[in-house]
């Protein structure tokens, strides 16, 4: 009760003054008028209690109720329970006056003996006859020792049916924010809970009291299932968050209070406005007065100036109040309001998303315009990158009754399947299959089959995908469509070694008679096979592809597949910028996501990622592909190639653990003969080699080679596994087999003829043969790679060349090579190396743009290590990690890690004890360790990069 009486001192003082006047014979009336929940009854009860106990008034009281409003004199029978002659039916006017006069006399005689407080609660529910008697009394009360105290539920405090000369109406304003906060603090609530009490109640005392009780209960009954739950209030929900009771139950008293109000106590005007706000607020971006204006359009025009509207808008601006009102309302009434709101917005030309926000609240859309609007909203959501939202809109459109025509129903189902596929591969495939079966037209059914085929192939079910496409081809008599399907079937068959070989044979038969709009893709796919088989040079490939890129456009259904195949070939030919230009041309502009049921877009994504990796733009690879790679692998879509590209990019930036974690994500137990698994094996082989696990590296390189050979892919354009295997064999002491592999690789590389492939093969051969021939091979490789778009391979070659020259006694030239490599490696770590474009430097998973926080790249660590071994000064170094140590520090740390004492280290290196301690102190900071026993782990751990000069 005390909570409800907060900030009510003024009305209690006014009641006390009116009581004193009545005791002195100067009667009057005092009306407490306020909306529901303001504490009218609580104030009245307090005044009654004080008047009876403190002031000696006789109290006559009554409480009106809606159930008795229709019974004449019902209120007066409560006030005068023993009075005779009160009719049970509404009398004629003269008889009513007689009864009124007799009851006034009875009250006058009662008051003569002892002043009277006549307390009437909820007078707005009084029967009309009793209400007229109250007015009759108010006009004659001035000379009586009587105080008429009444409460009335109304929005404003102006009472027009009682004479102003004998009384006043006293408002009961909402509680102030400071008062609510103080009450919440006294209950021990946390700051976030105090804010909820303040904002979710709009100062309504009844709601404040209910919510305080709910939240206080949550303090004393902690949820035992909550992790880390301990005694005390805890932080509580933040401002604007919905508080919950233990076990996740919503605040029951608060919701019950609002439910009673909306169902039983609110008048028709208030209830309509509250429901209109409850319908409008979740669906509109508007707030404040704009939201209120929008909500009032759903109400009768007479409600437009309702005084309750601003108060309701403030209350329902909080989600807790909004949810409670919606739950208390009649679902049918809410649905009718949502329908009306959607129609009004649709007729006014509002954005489809605004209309759809209301349609989503209907159990089923009931008109075709609603389904069309949901489709439009889904298109907008896809363009904004919100595919899950778009899928929800299309699901709702499919519930329309009566359903749309069958062809439209099939199209909607297919579109929904494409949207569901990235989030649940199996759900998307089932939906695509259903859409395919629904199509009444054979031609359209055949045209839609590639989406299902691409989804099945991405799921690892290439044989089923090819079966679907073969059936689609045989089910149509459109010759051009048959050619389109055969070309797309060949593209998807690249995920199966045997099917790919057979498909290319079929394409060679098809090529001479292929329609002009289909021939470019047929040519590109044949060229991909022949490139992998080592039958073509890069120059020959460009001669085939570039004229076709400049020629007539391909069939619209083949556009992305053609661009994807052409981009792959350009990437292999080291035309990296041209390959990425095709990717930009074919892929949707962010934030619109790519359609993963489009096999051509799958190819473009792969080509874009690998081109960026080869260009050393590691941050671009991460920014553009991390989210997609994680989404695919977590939802049943196999994406080993994208995963490999992101893992390699992360490793190059020094994020070793993340790289290995990514590579372990694809389930290789489900691997088939798809080219993507060979890419994964190759990436894993590289990482093993980077970390000196040469046998593991060799095993993965050979596994990659076996997979590629099964596909007739012998060229080093994609996965130069022979070079990697040769390098591993050299480290394992098997130079003979290494040389055989390296020479074979070099032959294929020279046939292809790009600096990247030849340079890498020469570097592998140099490792295998060593000596003068090895130095000559490295010198040739460095010359080839200068100016080529192969920065990673160039840095690797310069490191090898620098070490070889130093080993051959050419120290100055060798150190110059290493410094060039160091500068190039540092450049690749700079944020600017990612180039310009969406997502550069600040995309998801980018790794940050602050050079002080960028992990030291693998290549920079390698160049620093080579310079350190050559006792050469570096121009860049890491700020922390092993790469940050100076040569002197590294020698001290190596001995300390082996267990030598400071004195032993000083004696071994001819250093004073203080110098040893200085080096160790500096090394501890750089390695981020605090004790000697951690040095070995610090030397093996990851690094962070920066810039500076080696001492």
């Amino acid at each position: 009760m005390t909570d409800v009486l907060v900030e009510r001192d003024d009305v209690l003082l006014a009641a006390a003054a009116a009581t004193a006047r009545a005791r002195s014979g100067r009667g009057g009336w005092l009306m407490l008028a306020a909306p529901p929940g303001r504490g009218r009854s609580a104030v009245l009860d307090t005044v009654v209690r004080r008047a009876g106990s403190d002031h000696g008034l006789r109290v006559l009281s009554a409480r009106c109720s809606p159930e008795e409003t229709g019974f004449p004199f019902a209120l007066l029978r409560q006030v005068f329970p023993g009075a005779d002659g009160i009719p049970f039916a509404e009398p004629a006017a003269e008889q009513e006056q007689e009864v009124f006069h007799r009851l006034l006399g009875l009250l006058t005689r009662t008051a003569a003996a002892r002043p009277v407080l006549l307390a009437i609660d909820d007078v707005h529910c009084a029967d009309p006859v009793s209400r007229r008697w109250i007015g009759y009394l108010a006009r004659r009360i001035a000379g009586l020792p009587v105080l008429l105290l009444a409460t009335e539920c109304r929005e404003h405090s102006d009472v027009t049916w009682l004479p102003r000369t004998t009384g006043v109406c006293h408002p009961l304003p909402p509680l102030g924010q400071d008062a609510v906060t103080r009450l919440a603090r006294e209950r021990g609530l946390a700051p976030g809970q105090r804010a909820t009490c303040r904002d979710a109640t709009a100062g309504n005392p009844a709601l404040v009291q209910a919510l305080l009780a709910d939240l206080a209960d949550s303090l004393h009954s902690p949820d035992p299932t909550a992790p880390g739950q301990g005694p005390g209030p805890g932080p509580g929900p933040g401002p604007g968050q919905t508080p919950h009771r233990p076990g996740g139950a919503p605040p029951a008293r608060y919701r019950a209070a609002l439910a009673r109000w909306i169902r039983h106590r609110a008048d028709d005007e208030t209830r309509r406005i509250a429901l209109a706000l409850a319908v409008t607020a979740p669906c509109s971006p508007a707030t404040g007065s704009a939201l209120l204006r929008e909500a009032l359009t759903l109400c009768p025009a007479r409600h437009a100036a309702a005084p309750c509207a601003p108060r309701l808008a403030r209350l329902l601006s909080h989600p807790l109040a909004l949810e409670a009102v919606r739950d208390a309302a009649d679902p049918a009434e809410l649905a009718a309001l949502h329908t009306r709101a959607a129609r009004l917005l649709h007729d006014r030309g509002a954005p489809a998303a605004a209309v759809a926000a209301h349609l989503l609240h209907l159990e089923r859309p009931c008109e075709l315009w609603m389904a069309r609007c949901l489709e439009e909203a889904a298109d907008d959501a896809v363009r904004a990158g919100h595919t899950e939202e778009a899928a929800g809109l299309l699901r709702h459109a499919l519930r329309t009754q009566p359903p749309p025509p069958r062809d439209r129903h099939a199209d909607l189902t297919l579109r929904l399947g494409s949207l569901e596929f990235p989030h649940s591969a199996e759900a998307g495939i089932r939906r695509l299959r259903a859409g395919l079966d629904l199509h009444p037209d054979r031609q359209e059914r055949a045209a839609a089959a590639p989406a299902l085929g691409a989804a099945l192939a991405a799921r690892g079910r290439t044989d089923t995908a090819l079966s679907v496409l073969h059936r689609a081809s045989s089910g149509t008599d459109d010759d051009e469509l048959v050619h389109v399907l055969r070309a797309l079937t060949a593209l998807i068959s690249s995920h199966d070694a045997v099917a790919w070989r057979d498909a290319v044979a079929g394409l060679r038969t098809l090529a001479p008679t292929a329609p002009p709009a289909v021939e470019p893709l047929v040519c590109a796919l044949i060229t991909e096979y022949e490139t992998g088989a080592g039958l073509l040079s890069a120059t020959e490939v460009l001669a085939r592809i570039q004229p076709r890129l400049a020629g007539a456009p391909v069939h619209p259904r083949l556009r992305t597949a053609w661009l994807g195949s052409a981009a792959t070939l350009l990437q292999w030919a080291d035309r990296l910028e041209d390959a990425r230009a095709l990717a930009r041309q074919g892929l949707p502009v962010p934030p619109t996501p790519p359609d993963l049921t489009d096999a051509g877009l799958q190819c473009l994504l792969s080509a874009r990622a690998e081109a960026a990796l080869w260009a050393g733009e590691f941050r671009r690879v991460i920014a553009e592909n991390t989210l997609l790679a994680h989404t695919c692998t977590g939802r049943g879509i196999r994406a080993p190639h994208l995963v490999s590209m992101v893992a390699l990019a992360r490793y190059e930036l020094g994020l070793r653990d993340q790289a290995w974690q990514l590579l372990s994500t694809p389930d290789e137990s489900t691997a088939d003969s798809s080219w993507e698994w060979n890419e994964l094996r190759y990436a894993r082989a590289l990482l093993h080699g980077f970390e000196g696990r040469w046998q593991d590296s060799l095993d993965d390189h050979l596994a990659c080679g076996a997979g590629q050979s099964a596909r007739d892919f012998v060229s080093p354009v994609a996965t130069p596994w022979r070079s990697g295997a040769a390098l591993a064999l050299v480290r394992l002491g098997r130079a003979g087999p290494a040389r055989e592999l390296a020479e074979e690789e070099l032959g294929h590389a020279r046939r292809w003829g790009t600096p990247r492939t030849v340079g890498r093969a020469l570097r592998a051969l140099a490792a295998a043969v060593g000596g003068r021939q090895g130095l000559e091979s490295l010198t040739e490789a460095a010359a080839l790679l200068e100016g080529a778009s192969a920065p990673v391979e160039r840095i690797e070659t310069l490191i090898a060349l620098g070490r070889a020259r130093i080993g051959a006694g050419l120290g100055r030239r060798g150190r110059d090579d290493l410094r060039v490599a160091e500068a190039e490696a540092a450049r690749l770590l700079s944020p600017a190396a990612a180039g310009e474009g969406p997502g550069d430097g600040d995309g998801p998973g980018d790794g940050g743009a602050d050079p002080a926080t960028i992990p030291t790249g693998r290549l920079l660590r390698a160049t620093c290590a080579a310079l350190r071994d050559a006792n050469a000064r570096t121009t860049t170094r890491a700020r922390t990690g092993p790469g940050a140590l100076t040569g002197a520090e590294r020698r001290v740390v190596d001995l300390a890690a082996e267990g030598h004492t400071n004195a032993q280290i000083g004696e071994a290196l001819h250093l004073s004890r203080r110098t040893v301690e200085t080096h160790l102190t500096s090394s501890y900071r750089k390695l981020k360790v605090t004790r000697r026993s951690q040095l070995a782990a610090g030397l093996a751990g990851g690094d962070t990069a920066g810039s500076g000069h080696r001492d």
Side-chain angles (χ1 to χ4, degrees), residues 231-243:
Q241 292 178 316
T242 302

Side-chain angles (χ1 to χ4, degrees), residues 530-718:
E530 292 179 347
T531 297
L535 303 176
L536 297 174
S537 68
T539 301
E540 292 169 326
V541 167
L542 294 175
R544 288 187 185 183
I545 296 303
Q546 289 178 322
R548 287 173 170 82
L549 283 170
V554 299
H555 192 285
R557 297 185 189 277
L558 298 180
R559 178 176 177 271
T560 59
W562 157 237
L563 292 176
S565 184
T568 299
L569 292 165
L570 289 172
Q571 171 214 324
W572 288 348
D574 285 354
R575 306 295 286 268
L576 303 184
E577 187 49 49
D578 292 341
R580 286 186 296 190
L582 291 186
R584 287 192 296 271
Q585 185 179 338
L587 289 169
V589 177
T592 305
D595 180 2
L596 296 182
T597 65
D598 185 323
L601 291 184
Q602 294 176 10
C603 294
L604 284 170
L605 288 170
S606 292
R608 182 184 69 176
E610 194 151 20
L613 185 73
W614 288 3
E617 297 180 3
F618 308 128
R619 287 187 188 78
R620 181 190 290 273
V621 176
I622 293 170
E624 291 179 339
N625 300 286
T626 293
L627 182 61
L628 185 60
H630 279 300
T631 298
C632 289
T633 54
R635 308 297 171 87
I637 302 173
R638 303 192 317 180
H641 180 256
L642 275 183
V643 165
S644 302
M645 297 301 99
V646 176
L648 286 170
R650 286 194 175 280
Y651 200 97
E652 292 289 0
L653 289 174
L655 301 170
R656 174 194 178 277
D657 293 343
Q658 294 180 27
W660 278 112
Q661 183 180 5
L662 270 176
L663 284 183
S664 67
T665 303
D667 181 8
E668 199 169 352
S669 65
T670 65
D672 50 22
S673 56
S674 171
W675 58 271
E676 294 201 56
W677 293 107
N678 298 326
E679 295 277 0
L680 182 75
R681 294 172 188 123
Y682 181 71
R684 195 168 56 211
L686 289 179
L687 265 60
H688 282 310
F690 295 158
E691 298 187 355
R693 291 188 293 275
W694 297 109
Q695 186 60 54
D696 292 336
S697 178
L698 176 62
D699 292 344
D700 276 325
H701 276 304
L702 294 177
C704 171
Q708 293 290 59
S709 297
R711 302 172 53 81
D712 302 335
F713 203 108
V714 298
S715 173
V717 295

Side-chain angles (χ1 to χ4, degrees), residues 168-510:
V168 296
C169 183
H170 203 292
L172 296 178
L175 301 183
Q177 292 189 355
D178 291 343
V180 177
T181 302
R182 185 175 67 254
L183 290 173
R185 187 184 298 112
E186 290 170 356
R187 295 289 187 99
L189 300 185
Q193 294 171 314
R194 295 174 208 161
T196 297
C197 285
R198 184 181 65 240
D199 299 337
T201 60
N204 185 295
L207 294 180
V208 170
Q209 189 176 36
L211 191 52
L212 285 174
D214 285 328
L215 295 177
D217 282 354
S218 71
L219 297 182
H220 302 301
S221 303
D223 182 1
T225 64
Q229 179 66 57
Q241 292 178 316
T242 302
H244 289 279
R245 299 184 65 199
R253 295 182 184 86
Y254 173 86
R255 294 170 68 89
L258 275 171
R260 284 193 301 273
W261 166 66
I262 201 70
R263 291 171 181 166
H264 307 299
R265 297 183 179 177
D267 57 38
D268 182 66
E269 178 183 74
T270 301
R271 190 180 61 80
R272 282 177 177 268
I273 295 175
L275 293 183
L277 282 164
V279 162
T280 305
C283 303
S284 173
T287 58
S289 58
L291 176 66
L292 179 58
R293 286 194 299 272
E294 187 176 336
L296 289 174
T297 61
L298 304 180
C299 301
R302 64 180 182 277
H303 296 339
C308 67
R311 172 180 62 85
L312 293 173
R314 285 194 300 274
L315 174 63
L316 295 181
S317 65
H318 194 278
L320 193 61
L322 196 66
E323 180 186 356
V325 169
R326 289 182 61 85
D327 288 347
D330 178 7
E333 190 171 10
L334 288 178
L337 283 170
H338 277 298
T339 301
R340 174 173 167 75
R343 191 179 297 278
L344 286 172
L345 290 169
H346 181 265
D347 292 346
R348 292 175 191 161
V355 183
H358 287 282
L359 297 177
L360 287 172
H361 288 276
L362 306 181
E363 184 178 356
R364 288 181 180 276
C366 55
E367 298 182 46
L368 289 181
W369 70 265
M370 296 180 176
R372 288 194 298 271
C373 186
L374 289 164
E375 287 183 66
E376 293 174 20
D379 289 340
D380 293 340
V382 169
R383 283 190 287 271
H386 304 145
T387 54
E388 289 188 272
E389 176 187 333
L393 290 162
L394 290 184
R395 286 190 203 101
H396 204 56
L398 286 171
R399 298 190 188 106
T400 303
Q401 288 293 336
R406 189 172 176 184
D407 57 341
R408 292 292 306 128
H409 194 270
D411 287 339
L412 280 174
T413 304
L414 288 168
R415 289 174 59 196
L416 177 56
S418 297
L419 291 175
E420 288 179 331
F421 182 67
H423 306 287
S424 173
E426 284 302 321
I429 287 171
R430 285 194 291 268
R431 190 83 69 173
L432 288 167
R433 196 182 293 278
L436 211 60
D437 293 341
L438 274 171
H439 247 304
D441 184 78
R442 287 191 311 163
Q443 309 291 78
E444 290 298 322
R445 191 160 57 245
L452 177 58
L456 287 166
R459 187 73 176 97
R461 292 152 61 182
T462 306
D463 53 347
T464 308
L466 298 177
S467 175
V468 167
L469 290 167
H470 287 314
R471 285 199 304 271
S473 296
S474 61
T476 178
D477 53 8
D478 184 329
D479 289 341
E480 186 173 59
L481 182 56
V482 169
H483 284 88
V484 166
L485 290 173
R486 288 185 64 183
L488 290 174
T489 302
L491 176 62
I492 290 174
S493 71
S494 66
H495 291 285
D496 181 275
V498 175
W500 171 235
R501 189 180 297 112
D502 294 341
V504 172
L507 290 178
R508 287 183 172 132
T509 303
L510 173 66

Side-chain angles (χ1 to χ4, degrees), residues 17-53:
T19 300
R21 288 194 297 272
R23 290 177 60 199
S24 65
R26 295 178 291 119
W29 58 267
L30 178 64
M31 179 71 75
L32 308 180
R38 294 282 178 86
R40 302 184 313 271
S41 299
V43 173
L44 182 140
D45 292 343
T46 301
V47 173
V48 166
R49 186 175 63 256
R50 293 179 180 179
S53 61

Side-chain angles (χ1 to χ4, degrees), residues 918-939:
T918 299
H919 285 324
L920 284 175
T921 299
S922 176
S923 300
Y924 279 18
R925 175 182 56 79
K926 293 177 181 179
L927 296 176
K928 297 182 178 179
V929 301
T930 57
R931 58 180 64 90
R932 209 180 194 89
S933 60
Q934 297 172 335
L935 285 174
L939 289 172

